[in-house]
Amino acid sequence: MAGRFVPRTTAVPRQEPGSGAGSASATTRTWTPPGPLDLRLVLGPLRRGPADPAYRALPDGTFWRATRTPAGPGTLRVSAAHDGTVSATAWGPGAQWLLDGLPALLGAGDTPDDFRPRHRLLALTRHRRPGLRLLRTGLVMESLIPSILEQKVTTDEAYRAWRLLVRIYGTPAPGPSGATFGTYGLYVMPDARTWSLIPSWEWHRAGVDSKRSATVLRAVRVARRMEEAAAMELPEAMARLQLIPGIGPWTAAETLQRSNGAADAVTVGDLHLPGIVGHALAGNRNADDEEMLELLAPYEGQRHRATRLIMLSGHTPARRAPKMTPRDIARL
């Protein structure tokens, strides 16, 4: 359901130095979602750590996102009114592209009613979280690169690498984020060419080993082909991404959950997820990928939604082993 569309252009103050370019005006849009919508739940998967330079969530319920669209860099600010109406403002060359894609981003193409919970935990969580919808950015590389950085390392390591590389090699986001957030204004991630020119010692300084950096470099060389996966059905999109050596089912699923809104893109190969799903659905915290897939089989077509609901339920096993030890390769 497309909702209502109300575009208009309003003047905004000139940018502070370093806060972005090409953004003398802002374009705005309002949209009424077809049902309950919780922006925090919907947009949360875009956040790569508490200091993500491309994403910001404010206490007042406003969300900011900086990204590189096919039309160029853009900044999007989104908030929801008490009546459910969503208001969005965008800046930069990619502003109109972002506003045109606002309903899809917020799950307009998602089909939560297709989910039929067979476990009490899932039914109860869905009842308590009616505003959960699966987002769709339509952008592959912005999710693929951070997913590659998250391969086989702690989240803290991956978030640090993303933060450093985007702030050093990205560009200040269009619009007023510099004036709004000061030193911590938003940044748009580098384009494919810039990623390809990052020297090896800068990857090393960011804590990214040669295997992950090489995978990123292989992906950005065929970035256009990777972006085509955003318009593919899930099996074809998974196959397209995995043509790149170093990209397996885990990375492909983590990417397509965001870029395609893939409700069935279950994350296989995760260190913790099988145990979490096993604990929630069968009381077995030692479940492996095979058992996880068996437990999720009744939800085929909606398996990613099922895992999201499990994670949101809070019904996860108590940690009984140390976290993966961080590796500071920048000191080597």
Side-chain angles (χ1 to χ4, degrees), residues 207-231:
V208 181
D209 57 55
S210 60
K211 182 176 181 179
R212 285 179 293 150
S213 63
T215 302
V216 172
L217 295 178
R218 285 190 289 265
V220 298
R221 291 190 190 107
V222 290
R224 188 170 300 177
R225 297 284 287 166
M226 293 292 99
E227 291 293 354
E228 291 173 357

Side-chain angles (χ1 to χ4, degrees), residues 259-306:
S259 64
N260 293 33
D264 199 44
V266 60
T267 303
V268 175
D270 191 81
L271 181 62
H272 303 292
L273 187 61
I276 293 172
V277 172
H279 175 75
L281 301 185
N284 178 16
R285 62 179 297 163
N286 298 312
D288 56 13
D289 278 333
E290 183 177 358
E291 182 170 348
M292 176 181 72
L293 292 176
E294 290 177 1
L295 291 170
L296 293 175
Y299 306 108
E300 187 172 0
Q302 296 278 323
R303 292 178 296 176
H304 170 51
R305 189 188 312 279

